Each structure stands twice: as structure tokens, then as C-alpha cells.
Amino acid sequence: MPVWLTVVGIGDDGFAGLGRSARRALLEASVVYGGERHLAMLPARLAARRAAWPRPFDLAPLLAERGGAVCVLASGDPMLFGVGATLARQLPADELRVLPAPSSLSLAAARLGWPLQDVATVSLVGRPLPTLNAHLHHGARVFVLSADGRTPAALAALLNARGFGATRMIVLEHLGGELERRIDGRADQWSAGEVAALNLIALECRATQGAPRLPLTVGLPDDAFRHDGQLTKRDVRAITLARLAPTPGELLWDVGAGSGSIGIEWMRAHPTCRAIAIEGHAERQRFIEHNRDALGVPGLQLVAGRAPDALRGLPAPDAVFIGGGVTVPGVLEACWASLREGGRLVANVVTLQGEAALVAWRERFGGTLTRIALADAQPLGGFDTWRQALPITLLEVVKPAREVDVASGGSQASGANSASDASTTTAVSASNSGAAQ
């Protein structure tokens, strides 16, 4: 089918700011879809029928026009957090034409003299405010796409609470239009109140003394998490995440999630990584809710319940971490059955019974066993000595491309994880001087 849908990016300067191709597409259209603000920018001479987006938003009326001469109006660059990206997921590329205008990000970079490639971007349109927390680093520059006119004041409060009150905030209203305005200030002195609904916030992040320092590497400090002791400690967490090996777009099940530390750090590895935390303890569920917001991954999904029952109906994972429950009947089997082919299963235990379960699993399905022994230097009288933490046994196994019959226990797929030719056991001993875990 030839191109029937044209997505026109329009700025705050309206129809007058459009190029020739965009104007022609609108003049030749039989119907134009868009938000009420955008439709109001069209001149009366356009013969096309105006159709405002339904509420709640729905593409069905637009897609029903398939084959006609249809235009869609969108802010700036429609492929940047815009409806153009949504439509591109629904339609073949040869049915869609996109005519972008300068995005608000491009206009903001031009106004401030900031190289756009050096600035992080966070959209708070339809996303929780704590999404920003993952991007708060001293010296970072961030563009924030506001949800509405109250976003700057809410953002200033968040920055203060997170120890970034010295951050420079620049609010840019109506970029590219006649009403364009700039408001400068510090987060801890912000008094502008509500501003124009159409605004972008530029941040030059400045941490105050005592602000948490959250590195980009895995293995956040233990005190970055709220917990009751049910926490995969920092060094073990770093080793575990290295074995889980997150890559963009993948989904993790964090089974027996405790404080949610594994799932949270998995999602911090890349903006498209997803995680589901399964936890049956009510207080720990509250810890997970707090930690996911504080560490900038509010999209982490919490399932209140215990495996294996709570696993039913969840989307198939690319990786599974079992931090608790390997001795519960059916947990390993349910995780393995749901895991995608080529996916990784990692389980940590400290008890002999848990270790026996992992040894038995490796005998059936292969993989590697690793013993992690850590010690911290702690006072002993007037001297220091090493205090050994409980050793951790870690199982890592990759699900082969051909399905394994878990029920029979005897069908073994050929390949890298055959227990007969690829099972290994590794002993790892590590010692470090510092605070006790």
C-alpha cells in the first residue's frame, strides 16, 4: 500500500513555521488528527476535517481511515517521545511519512549552547517523577520533558530531597513561539510555582555535601537500599549481576526479591531493561517500592506472592535470579520451564539444604557452581582480624536451545550445558578491608 499517513511535526510557531512539504500534506488531507492545541493552529482555509484524539488515547479511529489522505499533527519531532514512534510500531514503513520540525530538545540545546549529544534526556510525560533519580550525578546535564506546569516545582522538591539542592534549573516555556520565556534558579531556592504547561527543564546537577553517590557500575553500596537484612550484599550482588549479564530489552524475574536489589540494579544497567520482583513478605514489598523509586527505576514490577504460585501468568523471562526459595518444591522447575531458550538462571544459597538442591539441579541440567567466600577486617581487642561472612554457593546455568523435559528428569538437550561435558565447579575466595557487610 502506498503512503497514506503523513505525520507532521509542528512547533509553537504553528502553521507559519511549517515547510512547504508539510503545508502541502495538510492542504491535501481529507482529515487531520491531533491534540486540540495543535488543531487550533490550523488556518480556516484548510478543507480537511479536524479530529481530536479520543480520551483515553486510542489509535483505532485513525487506523480506520487507512487508505485515505490522512495527516497527524505532533509536537516538534514526532519520532522523539511522540506519536510518530507509536504509529511506526503499528504500520509498515512504506505506509508512513514523517516530516519532523525541530524538537524541543534541539531548541533548548541551541538556546543554552549545550551540545545535545552530551545531555541526558528524561521524559516525565506519563512517567513517574522518580524516573529522574537514575540520572542524578554531580556535573551531569539533563533535559527533562515536563508533564505539566507543576513539574518544575515538584522537580525542585525532589532535587532538594535527594541532596541536589544546588542544581541549576532553567525552565524554557513555549520554545520556538511568540510566548517563549526563560526562568533561571536553583532547586533549593525555586519559587516560580506553576509555569506554562508547555515547558522543558534543563538541569546542571550539583550535589550538596552528603548527597548519595550512585555509581554506574553494579554493586551499589548496601546502604543505598532500605532493607531488614534480607539483601544480596554488595560484592555478591556484583558477582551475581555479572553472571545474569543484562543486555538491552531483556526481562528478569527476581524471585524471593527481598529488598529488590538485584532487579533494581538489573534495570539500572540500561533504560530498556525490565524486571519483575516476586516477594511474599509484606514489609519487604514496601522496601521494594521505596528502593525502586529512590534508585530511579519506578517501572520495576512488584508481584506480591510466593513462588511457584505467584509465577503463573507472568511474561517469559530472559533471565531468572532466585535469591530465596530453591528448596521450595516446584520453584526451580517453574522458573526453568518459563525461562526463554538461551536464558540464564542464577541462584544463590547459604544453607546445606539449598546447596544440595543446586548440586542436584546441576547434575540434571549442567551449569557451573561457584563458592563465594568473603571476609571483612574488623576490630579484635586492640587489633584487627578477618571476619568471615557466610559462604555463598552460586549456580549459573543457561537454558539450551532445545527444551528440556523437566518432569521426566532424564531428557537432556545437547549443547553447551550438557551435565556430562560442561559442568564445572569453581571455588572463589575474596577478602577486602572495610566495613562489615
Side-chain angles (χ1 to χ4, degrees), residues 332 354-366 369:
L332 276 166
E355 185 172 284
L358 296 189
V359 170
W361 190 265
R362 183 179 67 100
E363 290 177 352
R364 294 170 63 188
F365 302 112
L369 283 173

Side-chain angles (χ1 to χ4, degrees), residues 369-386:
L369 283 173
T370 303
R371 172 66 61 85
I372 305 170
L374 299 170
D376 294 310
Q378 295 184 12
L380 179 65
F383 300 91
D384 293 314
T385 191
W386 293 109

Side-chain angles (χ1 to χ4, degrees), residues 150-176:
R150 297 182 296 273
T151 301
L155 192 55
L158 179 143
L159 290 166
N160 273 311
R162 296 293 297 171
F164 282 81
T167 295
R168 180 188 178 203
M169 293 178 57
I170 306 164
V171 174
L172 299 166
E173 300 177 328
H174 293 288
L175 275 163

Side-chain angles (χ1 to χ4, degrees), residues 29-390:
S30 60
V31 58
V32 179
Y33 279 81
E36 293 175 0
R37 181 176 69 87
H38 291 144
L39 293 175
M41 295 176 174
L42 299 178
R45 70 177 184 272
L46 257 69
R49 172 171 57 90
R50 276 80 158 166
W53 291 118
R55 297 182 181 178
F57 179 79
D58 187 3
L59 286 177
L62 168 67
L63 296 176
E65 309 270 3
R66 194 170 191 166
V70 183
C71 275
V72 167
L73 289 176
S75 294
D77 184 348
M79 301 303 289
L80 181 70
F81 297 105
V83 71
T86 304
L87 288 165
R89 289 190 287 267
Q90 298 286 329
L91 295 170
D94 58 2
E95 296 185 26
L96 179 69
R97 179 173 59 150
V98 180
L99 302 175
S103 69
S104 59
L105 302 182
S106 296
L107 292 173
R111 301 294 187 270
L112 301 176
W114 292 4
L116 191 53
Q117 70 270 16
D118 297 335
V119 185
T121 300
V122 178
S123 175
L124 296 182
V125 181
R127 295 172 176 84
L129 192 65
T131 303
L132 179 66
N133 287 337
H135 300 269
L136 295 182
H137 304 281
H138 183 75
R141 285 175 168 175
V142 185
F143 283 152
V144 181
L145 302 177
S146 285
D148 52 38
R150 297 182 296 273
T151 301
L155 192 55
L158 179 143
L159 290 166
N160 273 311
R162 296 293 297 171
F164 282 81
T167 295
R168 180 188 178 203
M169 293 178 57
I170 306 164
V171 174
L172 299 166
E173 300 177 328
H174 293 288
L175 275 163
E178 293 181 357
L179 300 177
E180 182 172 324
R181 183 171 74 127
R182 170 173 171 165
I183 308 170
D184 288 75
R186 273 175 49 131
D188 55 6
Q189 300 169 2
W190 192 258
S191 59
E194 187 167 351
V195 302
L198 190 64
N199 73 84
L200 177 146
I201 309 165
L203 303 177
E204 283 190 311
C205 296
R206 294 290 182 270
T208 53
Q209 188 172 4
R213 182 182 178 277
L214 300 177
L216 298 177
T217 54
V218 296
L220 293 176
D222 292 344
D223 60 10
F225 300 92
R226 186 175 291 179
H227 62 92
D228 61 356
Q230 292 297 311
L231 173 76
T232 303
K233 298 301 194 315
R234 182 178 194 173
D235 298 308
V236 175
R237 194 181 333 121
I239 294 171
T240 300
L241 284 156
R243 300 298 182 92
L244 287 168
T247 58
E250 289 191 321
L251 172 65
L252 170 76
W253 283 3
D254 185 357
V255 181
S259 64
S261 63
I262 293 291
I264 288 168
E265 293 219 46
W266 169 279
M267 289 186 65
R268 283 173 58 88
H270 192 272
T272 63
C273 285
R274 299 165 294 135
I276 301 174
I278 299 94
E279 176 55 54
H281 191 283
E283 184 180 15
R284 292 169 191 157
Q285 293 164 13
R286 305 292 81 79
F287 292 153
I288 293 171
E289 291 171 339
H290 167 84
N291 292 333
R292 68 184 178 185
D293 285 354
L295 297 170
V297 289
L300 182 143
Q301 181 183 346
L302 172 61
V303 173
R306 300 182 185 279
D309 293 342
L311 306 178
R312 296 194 183 98
L314 298 182
D318 300 286
V320 176
F321 172 65
I322 307 176
V326 299
T327 59
V328 176
V331 168
L332 276 166
E333 289 80 2
C335 291
W336 187 254
S338 297
L339 185 64
R340 294 184 187 276
E341 294 181 356
R344 292 87 63 203
L345 185 148
V346 175
N348 292 354
V349 298
V350 296
T351 67
L352 292 175
Q353 290 79 8
E355 185 172 284
L358 296 189
V359 170
W361 190 265
R362 183 179 67 100
E363 290 177 352
R364 294 170 63 188
F365 302 112
T368 62
L369 283 173
T370 303
R371 172 66 61 85
I372 305 170
L374 299 170
D376 294 310
Q378 295 184 12
L380 179 65
F383 300 91
D384 293 314
T385 191
W386 293 109
R387 296 289 186 187
Q388 195 80 25
L390 289 174

